[in-house]
Amino acid sequence: MKVSSAKVSKESKGHGGHHKNSLHSKRWSHHSILPLQLADQLDQWSSVTVDMYNNHHQPQTSHTSTSRSSDYSAGGGDNGEPSGTGNKWASRLLKECARAISDKDSSKIHHLLWMLNELASPYGDCDQKLASYFLQALFCKATESGQRCIKTLISVAEKSHSFESARKLILKFQEVSPWTTFGHVAANGAILEALDGEPKLHIIDISNTLCTQWPTLLEALATRNDDTPHLKLTVVVTANIVSSVMKEISQRMEKFARLMGVPFEFNVISGLNHLGELTKEALGVLEDEAVAVNCIGALRRVAVEKRPALIQMFRSLGPKVVTVVEEEADFSSTRYDFVKCFEDCLRFYTCYFEMLEECFTATSNEKLMLERECSRGIVRVLACDDDQDNEGECERRERGSQWSERLKEAFSPVGFSDDVADDVKALLKRYRSGWALAQPHQNETGLYLTWKEEAVVWVSAWKP
Amino acid sequence: MAEESISNGFVMNPVSGSNPPVVAKKKRNLPGTPDPEAEVISLSPKTLMATNRFLCEICGKGFQRDQNLQLHRRGHNLPWKLKQRSSKEVRKRVYVCPEKTCVHHHPSRALGDLTGIKKHFYRKHGEKKWKCEKCSKRYAVQSDWKAHSKTCGTREYKCDCGTLFSRRDSFITHRAFCDALAEETARLNAASSMHSLAAAGNFNYQLMGNPLDTGNGMPQHFSTVFKPISSCNDDAIDQTRRGFSLWMGQASQGQDSIGKSTLTLQEIQQFGSLNPGSIYGDPMVSTSNPPALDYQLNWVFGNKVSSGNAEDHQLTTSTSLPLSNVKENGPQLVSVPSLFSTQHQSHQTPPFSMSATALLQKAAQIGATSTDTSFLGSFGTKCSNSQDGNKYTDLYVSNTPTTTTLGSDLENSANDISTLNQLQMYPAKRRRMQNEDGSGGGGETRDFLGVGVQALCHPSSINGWT
């Protein structure tokens, strides 16, 4: 490792990607060498990076780091960053990089990406993890390789997925965090109340929680009162979930329903290119059934311009209740403003990663897998054009208020009863502190789950 | 009246030949079947809800309870005569519910106790003012709420797979996805068949083939039986078992003799000889961790089999009938025969069981005490291959990883290996295929972790099997 600053900038570029995973280093090899004058700019960052670098004890820390740090020690402490805290460095660097990309400042882009690359790690602390996943997305944006990256990520994910691993993952997540169970409890409560007394129920489930919502509903149907209705559950599967997983799930659901003594029918609809293709016939909705449509993290997967049509399609099914659960973030209204979109994306995932960090143990494998699951979403939102067919999926979240505007076109809101609110509160009590239930503002509907006072998940119920 | 009381929901223990226990204790009628001689009182909701019904005739003060009133009356220093209550024999009083739509509104279903009718009225028709802080369950009657609060949150739920839960909702969700579920259904199906057998009062095995009626009749049964999962009283497993003993009791009532409850290997082989492959297309067995049999399953079949003692010869045929019926009607008793027969199966079973069987047989021949760890997840199948039929029941009993009362060592190792197997199902499968020609023990059968068999099994427990 060379000592002079000028040369370092060149050499380190080569080393920059070296001890990262091979994906990164391959990408780096395509890039031009950093201009010499960037060394000055590097100095600006030096104290920040040096302190952070030393503080984080990266596994890749080799002699390269020390030599570099000795180079830049002169710049220590000058730019006002408190040395030694290293807190939230990822946020600053990432935002800077996003701005640089928006401004098309290629040299700045390069060196920021390089810096992030040095500091990021999917196995480190929150900052390092965020840096790692967002770096990937920023890189894809800068090199316009988002599509390719997504394809790779998907194939990797599919290889490692199995029913066992998915089950373990989601059940563990639900055990330590009410992120998903919040929506389940509220939605189930609304569904039970809306369909009370109906003999034939048909629930159309479009969700990403692998049917973990339904055992408690089945149990409630069985024990609530003397007449147990017949339940038909039609699950709409989007491309991600492998069909073998659904097969296992369907078997378990059927068995469990038998155990509970609930007459049950389970159907899976898969192979759709996008949700808008659904029809009443395709879903098998019969005239004498009381229909409920349940969407958990589903609406955001539909392309933004197709969302109104989807809601109209739901209306055409004539449901008694529609329950919607979505995460509270806005990647939709800002989709033409990269920096703004980036900022909210970063805010949301920072909250999510910090939540995971607190809820899981430090060495939890499940936490790691959940973090990895985010990578596709982040790359999609930041680095893929919506016009392209992103494997048929979108991840442009909208806030509850925005969804409400859309849903009001076809439905009117239904408030959650006190009983349901009580159930949710009781649920939250069963988890660690930090979680709370928040009522919406004046003219808004639904309920919010908050984590450390920040709204993270929104649930709502609608009727025609 | 004695006959009436017995038919009113008494559970009889199977006592062969003797008369029902003499009714020395006060008989309990079905709630709301009052003594026809009783005086029917109809109170208005207002009166019912009034807290001070008992009035002192002297000063008019009201009290919630009669005892309190009596205590108060003493303070009035009444002359002797008036101290007594009115001499006329007070007719027994029964009360009807003022709510017109209620079942208990009709005098024939009146309730005998004033407190009872008050509680009923609040519970069914009243506002639920009392709420549990922990679980937000609501109660209309304060004493109910108090009773609940004492036990709320203290109860733990245990799944068949051995995992403990402090939260009911996570227990339920886990249960639905748990591999142990497979066995539960088998037990249920078999037991419910027993139930219908008893009801029918004959040994028509064809009944077993009837589609499981999940209409309103059955669900009640299941819900009640599985309430222990959700109720706050006892350990879920225990009560479920009790529930089944209940059914067993009823079943045996309808039969002439209970006979032996253990299955001999021969009988099992008869079961096993039926080709399971054609009977069930249920991939559940191949994918889920082959569950060890709970000994209760044994009870079920023990009873069924033994009741057919007189027709032993027909046993094979008669049981084959319902099983083939099962084929048409869908996999009902699916898991049960498969559990028995996996060790005997032939070409049509999933490769997993096939090689397991082949190796087990080989292992049995060699009399090896070591086992391939890939089989340890299928304790049931392994042990069932024992030559000693008498030990069968014991083997099953001691093998179940879910039975907490038995063989804790065994259980622990079973749990570990089951979990391991679960996680490594696919590599393990392949391994077994390869080892088909190998011996039961030895280097080839090192498990996927590269650990030798002994490390994972407690030698003592293994030795106990042979």
Side-chain angles (χ1 to χ4, degrees):
Chain A
M1 214 25 217
K2 295 290 190 269
V3 177
S4 74
S5 39
K7 283 231 180 117
V8 162
S9 54
K10 267 192 221 161
E11 306 281 347
S12 53
K13 179 249 107 193
H15 276 279
H18 176 52
H19 30 260
K20 282 301 172 183
N21 56 62
S22 57
L23 202 59
H24 281 234
S25 57
K26 276 191 199 124
R27 287 188 250 144
W28 274 114
S29 60
H30 296 304
H31 282 278
S32 56
I33 295 167
L34 281 170
L36 289 178
Q37 58 266 38
L38 276 184
D40 300 331
Q41 292 189 23
L42 271 172
D43 273 330
Q44 270 179 17
W45 294 94
S46 64
S47 62
V48 181
T49 50
V50 159
D51 291 314
M52 292 184 285
Y53 207 16
N54 288 337
N55 282 336
H56 290 295
H57 308 291
Q58 282 202 23
Q60 304 90 309
T61 318
S62 58
H63 53 278
T64 50
S65 70
T66 24
S67 56
R68 207 179 295 131
S69 65
S70 61
D71 262 344
Y72 295 117
S73 54
D78 273 349
N79 55 0
E81 301 294 349
S83 59
T85 57
N87 206 14
K88 301 295 178 194
W89 54 265
S91 167
R92 285 191 295 268
L93 278 181
L94 289 167
K95 282 182 189 169
E96 272 295 318
C97 191
R99 260 175 241 130
I101 289 175
S102 179
D103 298 337
K104 298 199 196 310
D105 184 345
S106 74
S107 55
K108 196 169 170 200
I109 293 171
H110 283 159
H111 94 249
L112 283 168
L113 286 178
W114 166 75
M115 227 184 296
L116 283 163
N117 198 19
E118 285 301 302
L119 299 167
S121 165
Y123 307 110
D125 65 10
C126 260
D127 273 294
Q128 286 175 291
K129 284 179 199 172
L130 287 163
S132 171
Y133 292 104
F134 275 89
L135 167 63
Q136 182 179 50
L138 287 171
F139 182 86
C140 288
K141 173 75 176 175
T143 56
E144 294 180 5
S145 57
Q147 280 294 99
R148 214 182 330 141
C149 183
I150 289 286
K151 285 194 172 74
T152 315
L153 288 172
I154 287 177
S155 67
V156 166
E158 276 173 2
K159 283 197 181 73
S160 60
H161 271 174
S162 69
F163 169 70
E164 304 286 346
S165 70
R167 167 181 73 176
K168 195 158 171 253
L169 182 62
I170 193 158
L171 289 182
K172 184 72 187 168
F173 186 34
Q174 291 181 343
E175 200 185 301
V176 302
S177 163
W179 193 272
T180 53
T181 50
F182 167 81
H184 288 173
V185 169
N188 281 346
I191 291 171
L192 284 167
E193 282 175 3
L195 301 182
D196 191 19
E198 295 281 346
K200 283 187 73 180
L201 313 182
H202 187 172
I203 298 180
I204 295 163
D205 181 28
I206 317 171
S207 61
N208 57 0
T209 48
L210 306 178
C211 293
T212 49
Q213 178 176 357
W214 307 119
T216 40
L217 182 95
L218 281 166
E219 196 262 348
L221 285 176
T223 58
R224 214 168 31 139
N225 46 37
D226 294 331
D227 316 304
T228 310
H230 179 281
L231 172 64
K232 180 155 81 174
L233 182 62
T234 302
V235 172
V236 179
V237 163
T238 52
N240 272 340
I241 300 174
V242 188
S243 58
S244 68
V245 172
M246 276 323 292
K247 190 150 178 271
E248 284 278 354
I249 290 175
S250 73
Q251 281 164 10
R252 312 274 162 146
M253 286 294 110
E254 281 164 357
K255 283 194 170 63
F256 187 73
R258 269 207 295 280
L259 190 74
M260 287 289 112
V262 177
F264 186 67
E265 190 185 324
F266 189 94
N267 296 318
V268 176
I269 295 186
S270 59
L272 287 175
N273 282 332
H274 67 92
L275 290 177
E277 288 173 1
L278 286 172
T279 60
K280 202 170 175 179
E281 295 76 39
L283 289 166
V285 172
L286 304 172
E287 289 308 318
D288 58 343
E289 291 172 338
V291 177
V293 179
N294 182 74
C295 300
I296 313 250
L299 299 183
R300 66 169 179 259
R301 293 190 195 271
V302 173
V304 178
E305 54 281 352
K306 292 190 178 130
R307 289 173 188 180
L310 179 72
I311 288 165
Q312 290 302 330
M313 187 278 288
F314 287 156
R315 183 69 184 80
S316 72
L317 302 173
K320 289 249 177 347
V321 65
V322 176
T323 47
V324 175
V325 178
E326 281 290 341
E327 288 162 358
E328 192 70 1
D330 181 10
F331 307 155
S332 169
S333 67
T334 53
R335 63 192 185 281
Y336 301 120
D337 183 337
F338 181 70
V339 173
K340 279 220 172 57
C341 187
F342 183 87
E343 279 173 3
D344 204 42
C345 198
L346 183 60
R347 175 203 65 79
F348 174 75
Y349 282 102
T350 304
C351 183
Y352 186 68
F353 274 51
E354 282 174 356
M355 182 275 296
L356 290 180
E357 186 75 36
E358 273 206 40
C359 292
F360 284 96
T361 60
T363 51
S364 162
N365 196 44
E366 284 83 20
K367 179 177 62 159
L368 188 64
M369 287 172 67
L370 284 168
E371 287 159 358
R372 280 203 195 125
E373 292 286 318
C374 296
S375 61
R376 292 197 301 281
I378 298 173
V379 174
R380 267 204 194 98
V381 169
L382 297 176
C384 294
D385 278 337
D386 292 335
D387 315 334
Q388 298 167 316
D389 179 30
N390 302 322
E391 303 287 314
E393 294 226 353
C394 175
E395 287 268 6
R396 297 223 172 255
R397 292 168 169 77
E398 288 183 18
R399 290 183 180 269
S401 50
Q402 292 166 282
W403 290 119
S404 290
E405 288 303 312
R406 292 189 187 278
L407 287 157
K408 276 183 184 150
E409 297 291 321
F411 297 97
S412 49
V414 176
F416 290 99
S417 71
D418 287 338
D419 281 341
V420 176
D422 281 342
D423 284 341
V424 173
K425 281 186 202 147
L427 173 81
L428 297 183
K429 275 202 198 101
R430 299 199 273 268
Y431 290 96
R432 301 166 69 136
S433 65
W435 301 99
L437 172 69
Q439 301 282 351
H441 296 310
Q442 267 291 342
N443 295 323
E444 294 177 0
T445 183
L447 293 172
Y448 289 96
L449 172 69
T450 64
W451 165 247
K452 299 198 169 161
E453 322 256 302
E454 194 174 342
V456 289
V457 178
W458 174 75
V459 63
S460 63
W462 304 81
K463 64 174 186 235
Chain B
M1 279 301 220
E3 303 78 46
E4 183 189 319
S5 65
I6 290 163
S7 64
N8 283 343
F10 251 127
V11 172
M12 277 182 56
N13 296 323
V15 178
S16 47
S18 65
N19 292 324
V22 175
V23 185
K25 52 191 174 187
K26 186 174 175 201
K27 58 184 186 288
R28 251 179 172 249
N29 291 320
L30 195 65
T33 50
D35 182 350
E37 297 296 312
E39 179 187 359
V40 180
I41 315 264
S42 173
L43 302 164
S44 72
K46 195 163 164 237
T47 326
L48 205 54
M49 297 208 293
T51 48
N52 300 336
R53 282 216 59 238
F54 298 92
L55 297 168
C56 171
E57 64 260 29
I58 316 247
C59 64
K61 199 166 175 192
F63 295 91
Q64 281 202 33
R65 287 206 215 95
D66 189 45
Q67 303 93 301
N68 300 357
L69 171 63
Q70 294 312 314
L71 266 168
H72 160 83
R73 281 175 83 233
R74 277 193 228 160
H76 283 305
N77 290 323
L78 301 164
W80 170 251
K81 272 194 201 141
L82 294 172
K83 259 196 203 157
Q84 308 292 91
R85 301 201 113 223
S86 75
S87 52
K88 75 167 168 26
E89 182 68 31
V90 180
R91 273 170 74 198
K92 172 139 174 60
R93 286 188 174 149
V94 293
Y95 303 87
V96 288
C97 179
E99 178 61 40
K100 288 191 183 60
T101 58
C102 184
V103 152
H104 295 291
H105 182 67
H106 198 270
S108 66
R109 296 297 303 276
L111 298 171
D113 191 44
L114 178 62
T115 318
I117 192 74
K118 279 166 101 169
K119 280 193 177 168
H120 156 79
F121 184 72
Y122 278 103
R123 277 185 197 133
K124 264 281 176 63
H125 315 296
E127 184 201 335
K128 298 189 173 176
K129 292 188 288 192
W130 305 94
K131 198 183 83 179
C132 172
E133 279 310 310
K134 288 179 210 158
C135 69
S136 90
K137 213 168 166 203
R138 284 200 164 147
Y139 295 93
V141 179
Q142 188 184 17
S143 53
D144 291 345
W145 169 75
K146 269 194 185 159
H148 165 84
S149 300
K150 275 192 198 149
T151 57
C152 183
T154 57
R155 157 161 206 185
E156 290 208 314
Y157 306 89
K158 187 163 180 195
C159 180
D160 279 348
C161 67
T163 327
L164 276 169
F165 295 88
S166 57
R167 276 166 37 202
R168 181 162 161 237
D169 52 338
S170 41
F171 168 62
I172 291 172
T173 314
H174 164 90
R175 197 82 181 66
F177 286 92
C178 186
D179 294 326
L181 184 64
E183 173 196 328
E184 194 69 48
T185 327
R187 219 193 303 160
L188 240 189
N189 289 338
S192 68
S193 309
M194 290 308 290
H195 187 65
S196 41
L197 267 178
N202 58 31
F203 303 135
N204 185 4
Y205 285 105
Q206 296 280 0
L207 280 177
M208 279 166 49
N210 289 340
L212 190 61
D213 177 16
T214 50
N216 283 338
M218 278 310 194
Q220 295 319 301
H221 217 57
F222 293 170
S223 303
T224 329
V225 168
F226 288 97
K227 231 180 203 134
I229 292 173
S230 48
S231 76
C232 296
N233 298 324
D234 301 290
D235 181 63
I237 301 294
D238 285 338
Q239 210 162 18
T240 315
R241 288 196 181 127
R242 230 181 289 137
F244 283 115
S245 335
L246 204 66
W247 286 354
M248 290 307 100
Q250 289 175 357
S252 54
Q253 270 179 341
Q255 292 161 10
D256 292 331
S257 64
I258 307 289
K260 63 184 188 308
S261 58
T262 50
L263 286 163
T264 62
L265 192 62
Q266 195 191 17
E267 284 163 342
I268 288 149
Q269 278 173 335
Q270 284 170 347
F271 270 104
S273 62
L274 306 159
N275 200 329
S278 57
I279 287 168
Y280 73 101
D282 191 355
M284 174 265 297
V285 168
S286 56
T287 49
S288 69
N289 207 21
L293 267 189
D294 187 296
Y295 71 90
Q296 290 238 319
L297 204 49
N298 215 16
W299 273 97
V300 173
F301 275 82
N303 281 339
K304 191 159 41 66
V305 167
S306 54
S307 61
N309 265 345
E311 306 132 53
D312 241 347
H313 187 67
Q314 286 177 332
L315 185 62
T316 320
T317 25
S318 57
T319 49
S320 67
L321 278 174
L323 287 169
S324 57
N325 277 349
V326 167
K327 180 181 171 185
E328 286 136 37
N329 295 328
Q332 320 247 336
L333 293 166
V334 151
S335 329
V336 176
S338 72
L339 285 165
F340 278 112
S341 55
T342 37
Q343 71 275 24
H344 296 288
Q345 61 8 62
S346 52
H347 43 275
Q348 283 180 356
T349 51
F352 162 60
S353 322
M354 177 161 72
S355 46
T357 306
L359 274 162
L360 279 170
Q361 283 172 344
K362 284 225 160 87
Q365 286 163 19
I366 300 168
T369 54
S370 63
T371 55
D372 189 322
T373 51
S374 52
F375 298 142
L376 291 175
S378 54
F379 271 138
T381 49
K382 189 218 173 297
C383 296
S384 60
N385 202 37
S386 160
Q387 301 303 329
D388 189 348
N390 289 336
K391 274 197 180 172
Y392 203 103
T393 322
D394 297 341
L395 287 173
Y396 266 85
V397 167
S398 57
N399 267 340
T400 173
T402 66
T403 312
T404 49
T405 52
L406 309 157
S408 56
D409 270 359
L410 211 51
E411 174 192 293
N412 289 338
S413 49
N415 272 337
D416 296 333
I417 281 95
S418 307
T419 325
L420 279 173
N421 239 21
Q422 207 170 321
L423 294 170
Q424 308 280 342
M425 184 59 68
Y426 293 100
K429 255 192 189 171
R430 257 181 273 125
R431 215 157 240 291
R432 284 182 212 109
M433 291 287 281
Q434 290 159 11
N435 285 337
E436 198 173 349
D437 298 321
S439 60
E444 260 189 276
T445 57
R446 265 184 201 285
D447 72 311
F448 36 84
L449 296 175
V451 179
V453 161
Q454 263 64 21
L456 288 170
C457 305
H458 294 201
S460 55
S461 38
I462 293 168
N463 286 333
W465 295 343
T466 50

